[in-house]
Amino acid sequence: MDSMYLRSIWKFNNEEKAHVCLEEVYAKKGFVVRNLHRDDRFHESGIDLLCTRNDISIGFAIKKKPKQEDISQLKKLAVSNSSIIKFYIFLDNPTRPFEEAMKSHANVHYLDWGKLHSLLVGNGSINYTLLYFATHKLYENLSGIFELLYKKRTTTYYQHAPNTDEIEYMWNIKDDAVKLKSTLEYLQADWRPVLMTRLEYDKKEWTSYITKLHADLDKINTIAGESLYSSFRTMSDKFPHLAAHYWHLASYRTIWKDFIAEAITLGENSPKDLKEFIRYKWVMPTLEPTRRSSEYGPFNSVYSTLWAIIENTYHIADDLECGVDWLHHDLF
């Protein structure tokens, strides 16, 4: 797996999300997991997560990009209870002073983002699977479309007969929207018999599925994702009034109402929270109960998680095509 891709997962995600993934994995292994970073920092002794099962204790320290000021935590971890198996996880390249400090503590095991990926995928982390695919370029493009619509929502629109440029543009974006939806229909048809018949977790099989779906999404993004994002970028730059009218027409539709209400609330308070909502709770499935998540059902296994990703992506493409159709019908 491309190391740069795995590293980029944590560009937009903090250490607390890594905590959640590790808690999930070790709880499934039968460990009692204490999040000392969250619940008992005074007594953490350099350990963010402490996992215990019978006479086994494993301590994890997790840092996004370890710097010189983090060396003290490393030292605390190294001299903590000798019976604890100690891991230090870093999600980006440590600074040179920290790398030098690592050499002085041989009793600590070090995991970078690639080794963390192997640990989490190998143990079927649903939370990590969602983070992993949310980083894919297709979901970056789909998230970007919703962000563009949000930014242009207040542009003035006036009722008018479309000119030649607008007519040509509307037929082009219609073609792009149909192309994305149709490729995702093929994706569903290809994966449905594979995922719907799996009952028992198989590590080797699961790892191969992650790789295959990633490759399939690469193809779909090349065929349709890039061009649809480009069309919405053209709308934003050249026809912002059409983007505003698209937003207005969508605001009356059931599933769009949920998105628009949340987007406006978050966007007014925190652009960062808005971007996270779009990427990790709308374009990508979420474990949280929402009207949207009810469309693909609960995540009962890693296999149903992959199916949820595939099905939700289809729903997103369908939503976007519907918006294009509403705009098309209103203009013509």
Side-chain angles (χ1 to χ4, degrees):
M1 179 51 62
D2 181 6
S3 178
M4 288 298 293
Y5 182 89
L6 300 182
R7 182 179 169 191
S8 69
I9 292 171
W10 302 105
K11 181 179 179 181
F12 303 105
N13 293 292
N14 57 27
E15 295 139 5
E16 284 71 22
K17 290 190 178 180
H19 295 169
V20 170
C21 296
L22 287 165
E23 286 183 75
E24 173 196 358
V25 161
Y26 279 86
K28 286 197 297 186
K29 287 174 171 287
F31 284 82
V32 174
V33 183
R34 294 180 61 201
N35 191 321
L36 301 178
H37 176 80
R38 181 188 62 224
D39 301 329
D40 194 7
R41 291 195 183 190
F42 185 74
H43 296 103
E44 65 180 11
S45 299
I47 297 172
D48 294 323
L49 291 180
L50 181 61
C51 308
T52 57
R53 186 184 67 193
N54 300 327
D55 58 346
I56 301 174
S57 293
I58 305 173
F60 291 97
I62 303 101
K63 186 62 64 174
K64 191 162 185 176
K65 183 177 178 64
K67 301 179 177 65
Q68 186 164 359
E69 56 265 33
D70 299 309
I71 294 175
S72 60
Q73 182 191 19
L74 175 59
K75 290 180 178 177
K76 289 179 182 179
L77 175 66
V79 301
S80 62
N81 191 321
S82 61
S83 66
I84 296 175
I85 303 170
K86 306 171 180 70
F87 287 89
Y88 196 103
I89 297 174
F90 49 92
L91 308 174
D92 199 351
N93 286 323
T95 60
R96 186 169 297 175
F98 192 90
E99 281 188 323
E100 289 300 314
M102 289 165 60
K103 299 174 184 177
S104 301
H105 303 291
N107 65 326
V108 177
H109 305 279
Y110 299 100
L111 301 181
D112 64 9
W113 52 90
K115 292 177 181 177
L116 178 62
H117 168 82
S118 297
L119 171 65
L120 296 175
V121 169
N123 287 282
S125 170
I126 289 174
N127 286 284
Y128 181 72
T129 301
L130 297 174
L131 295 180
Y132 172 82
F133 282 105
T135 307
H136 194 282
K137 184 64 176 178
L138 176 62
Y139 299 105
E140 179 182 332
N141 283 329
L142 293 175
S143 299
I145 289 171
F146 285 95
E147 290 174 24
L148 289 171
L149 291 170
Y150 173 83
K151 290 175 182 176
K152 299 300 178 180
R153 72 192 187 284
T154 58
T155 303
T156 301
Y157 174 80
Y158 58 94
Q159 198 70 37
H160 66 288
N163 59 38
T164 302
D165 287 344
E166 289 172 327
I167 293 172
E168 181 180 2
Y169 168 75
M170 286 304 304
W171 284 112
N172 287 338
I173 195 173
K174 172 63 176 173
D175 287 344
D176 288 334
V178 169
K179 186 165 54 177
L180 178 62
K181 183 178 173 181
S182 63
T183 57
L184 288 166
E185 286 176 338
Y186 283 117
L187 187 72
Q188 284 181 311
D190 186 34
W191 278 91
R192 184 180 286 108
V194 175
L195 296 175
M196 294 305 184
T197 58
R198 294 305 183 270
L199 298 176
E200 299 296 329
Y201 173 72
D202 181 285
K203 179 179 178 179
K204 184 177 180 180
E205 176 186 69
W206 169 245
T207 303
S208 71
Y209 285 177
I210 291 282
T211 302
K212 183 181 185 304
L213 181 56
H214 191 282
D216 287 349
L217 293 172
D218 281 343
K219 294 174 186 176
I220 289 174
N221 187 56
T222 300
I223 293 169
E226 294 285 357
S227 59
L228 185 61
Y229 175 75
S230 179
S231 286
F232 273 93
R233 168 59 71 183
T234 298
M235 182 191 286
S236 176
D237 294 342
K238 190 174 180 180
F239 308 109
H241 56 289
L242 296 183
H245 198 46
Y246 185 114
W247 181 275
H248 171 73
L249 293 171
S251 67
Y252 291 100
R253 307 294 176 150
T254 301
I255 200 65
W256 276 93
K257 285 182 180 179
D258 292 351
F259 168 77
I260 286 173
E262 188 73 11
I264 290 175
T265 298
L266 291 174
E268 290 174 349
N269 297 320
S270 171
K272 180 182 177 182
D273 288 348
L274 172 61
K275 289 175 72 71
E276 177 151 334
F277 161 70
I278 292 174
R279 188 80 165 256
Y280 298 101
K281 297 183 180 180
W282 192 258
V283 169
M284 183 58 49
T286 174
L287 291 169
E288 298 176 10
T290 64
R291 188 199 303 263
R292 163 117 284 173
S293 64
S294 68
E295 294 182 343
Y296 45 75
F299 296 12
N300 295 320
S301 70
V302 288
Y303 300 108
S304 63
T305 301
L306 281 196
W307 180 248
I309 291 171
I310 293 168
E311 193 168 26
N312 189 64
T313 309
Y314 172 81
H315 285 311
I316 291 293
D318 185 51
D319 292 343
L320 292 173
E321 186 195 10
C322 286
V324 170
D325 284 343
W326 300 328
L327 182 59
H328 198 279
H329 293 157
D330 194 74
L331 289 176
F332 300 104

